[in-house]
Amino acid sequence: MAKALIKSRNKGIKLGLTFLILAIIIIATVGFIYVKEQMKPVDSEGVSYDITIKIPSGSTTAKIADILEENSLIKNKYIFKIIVRMKEVDGKLKAGEYSLNKKMDLYQIIDALVKGNPKKTVKFTIPEGYELSMIAEKLSKQNLVNKERFLELCNNVSLFKKKFDFLKELPEGSTLEGYLFPDTYEVYKDAKEEEIINKMLARFEQVYNDKIKYKAKKLNLTMNEVITLASIIEREAKLDSERPLISAVFHNRLKKGWLLQSCATVQYVLGERKENLTYDDLKIDSKYNTYLYKGLPPGPIASPGLKSIEAAVEPANVDYMFFVVNKDGSHTFSRSFNEHVNAKNKNK
């Protein structure tokens, strides 16, 4: 009887150990699969563009992991820290500015940070209200692009549609006018024209957020209409406080079916920013001439900044129909034509 009990107990212990070992194997396998998955690129399937990050001097591995996770370059910051320790490179990750992308796996990112960033970079700033031709000219003078190739690429939107879905919303025949966001950028000195364009389009995609999209939808405006209107506001306004007022004038005119009569659109047709337009200038036959054609032009006339884009979807609640520029760059707004004429006479 005792032997039978001992035999039964031993059998139970063996069975329990078997289940325990199986459980450990299963847990280890699941854990291994999970860790392996977390080490993979964030976006191995889709189209990915470079993301520039800056690792400050003296950053710990934990701080670097936070920066990478915040920029969606790694899936799990804890796994990152574990792999760094396993590779025995803790404390060897170098500070600097890096261009990384979501197609890089954990090992590639760690190797890049260990190696450091020996490439020299250069900064450039595109002011708000610049046209494509002006952007090309500025970058060419900084020896960053071949002007002709840059403009040729900007005139071929289809080359960038795979990377940026928002470009699919543009009307047929559009260029990248208005969509290279004006900002300060840092690129490698040997960056190609495509890389610079991608960087600027990526910034636009970031700026044109869900909040702006929601407000545009409420106003029944397409993205192209928003950016077109914003570009006109950008060219007309000098003071940030006046952007919503200028936007309101154009919105009010559009609602009433009036001509927008923006000098900035005529200047775009002329290809030069004349301070004073002649009557002949105002007669130039172009869909961009808002003195001849009602509604918005076919596309943007320049690259608008964020404040102009916001003004385009958030016009001031006023009934102004006219504005005239004052000598100090500000504007006088009027409700009636007579008020407008008086304001113009005062500025002579």
Side-chain angles (χ1 to χ4, degrees):
M1 184 74 174
K3 285 183 179 180
L5 284 171
I6 291 169
K7 190 175 181 181
S8 178
R9 187 183 300 164
N10 288 341
K11 189 177 180 181
I13 291 171
K14 285 180 181 178
L15 192 61
L17 285 172
T18 301
F19 279 121
L20 179 61
I21 291 168
L22 282 172
I24 291 171
I25 292 171
I26 291 170
I27 292 170
T29 302
V30 171
F32 175 76
I33 293 171
Y34 174 77
V35 171
K36 193 174 180 181
E37 182 62 33
Q38 297 304 299
M39 292 167 60
K40 290 180 180 179
V42 171
D43 185 9
S44 58
E45 298 295 328
V47 180
S48 183
Y49 48 83
D50 284 351
I51 297 171
T52 301
I53 62 165
K54 189 170 185 179
I55 306 297
S57 181
S59 294
T60 62
T61 298
K63 174 63 177 174
I64 293 170
D66 286 337
I67 293 171
L68 292 171
E69 192 174 67
E70 286 167 7
N71 285 275
S72 301
L73 287 163
I74 60 174
K75 293 182 177 181
N76 189 308
K77 63 181 179 182
Y78 301 107
I79 301 296
F80 174 84
K81 289 187 281 187
I82 291 170
I83 300 301
V84 166
R85 290 193 184 96
M86 285 176 60
K87 284 175 65 68
E88 298 182 349
V89 291
D90 198 8
K92 295 181 181 179
L93 306 182
K94 295 179 175 64
E97 204 155 294
Y98 296 85
S99 284
L100 307 174
N101 66 70
K102 296 179 183 181
K103 287 188 177 296
M104 298 172 73
D105 64 27
L106 216 54
Y107 282 108
Q108 289 174 313
I109 289 174
I110 292 171
D111 288 345
L113 295 174
V114 170
K115 184 180 178 182
N117 186 7
K119 280 191 174 184
K120 290 185 178 180
T121 60
V122 61
K123 287 185 177 182
F124 67 87
T125 298
I126 300 302
E128 296 165 346
Y130 260 38
E131 299 166 26
L132 280 178
S133 59
M134 299 167 74
I135 295 173
E137 182 70 29
K138 182 176 176 64
L139 294 177
S140 176
K141 285 182 178 178
Q142 286 189 247
N143 296 316
L144 286 171
V145 303
N146 174 285
K147 183 179 175 180
E148 286 71 28
R149 172 156 175 75
F150 183 86
L151 288 173
E152 183 183 336
L153 290 168
C154 288
N155 287 327
N156 195 345
V157 178
S158 61
L159 295 174
F160 303 93
K161 283 184 178 179
K162 286 185 179 179
K163 290 187 179 181
F164 302 100
D165 285 340
F166 71 85
L167 292 176
K168 295 173 184 176
E169 298 179 37
L170 299 187
E172 194 66 34
S174 296
T175 70
L176 294 180
E177 187 76 86
Y179 295 95
L180 300 188
F181 191 77
D183 207 342
T184 296
Y185 297 89
E186 188 162 6
V187 297
Y188 292 126
K189 280 192 174 180
D190 60 354
K192 294 180 180 178
E193 287 85 356
E194 291 92 336
E195 294 175 79
I196 292 174
I197 292 170
N198 281 334
K199 209 173 188 72
M200 298 180 77
L201 288 172
R203 182 69 180 121
F204 174 89
E205 187 175 48
Q206 184 182 36
V207 168
Y208 198 78
N209 56 36
D210 289 340
K211 184 180 177 182
I212 294 171
K213 292 175 185 175
Y214 173 75
K215 290 180 178 179
K217 191 174 181 180
K218 283 186 71 176
L219 291 169
N220 198 29
L221 293 174
T222 65
M223 178 189 69
N224 192 59
E225 288 171 336
V226 170
I227 301 305
T228 299
L229 178 54
S231 70
I232 299 173
I233 295 168
E234 186 66 61
R235 291 282 293 108
E236 294 283 6
K238 295 292 183 290
L239 304 176
D240 287 343
S241 60
E242 290 187 347
R243 294 181 199 276
L245 295 171
I246 290 174
S247 176
V249 170
F250 290 135
H251 274 282
N252 291 341
R253 283 176 163 257
L254 287 170
K255 286 175 185 175
K256 291 196 174 188
W258 289 17
L259 292 165
L260 292 186
Q261 294 185 319
S262 166
C263 293
T265 63
V266 179
Q267 291 169 338
Y268 183 71
V269 178
L270 291 172
E272 60 175 310
R273 299 187 174 184
K274 293 173 68 174
E275 190 170 338
N276 296 304
L277 296 175
T278 65
Y279 284 110
D280 285 339
D281 292 335
L282 300 181
K283 293 176 183 176
I284 294 176
D285 190 13
S286 167
K287 293 290 185 181
Y288 282 88
N289 185 350
T290 55
Y291 277 84
L292 289 181
Y293 292 91
K294 290 182 180 179
L296 290 165
I301 61 170
S303 288
L306 177 58
K307 290 186 183 299
S308 289
I309 295 174
E310 289 176 335
V313 295
E314 295 181 79
N317 185 22
V318 293
D319 56 357
Y320 295 136
M321 299 299 293
F322 305 87
F323 61 81
V324 62
V325 65
N326 300 319
K327 292 176 182 177
D328 62 359
S330 64
H331 292 82
T332 297
F333 296 87
S334 307
R335 293 175 178 83
S336 70
F337 182 70
N338 286 338
E339 288 179 2
H340 179 58
V341 170
N342 290 334
K344 287 179 73 173
N345 290 333
K346 286 180 181 178
N347 279 283
K348 284 184 178 179

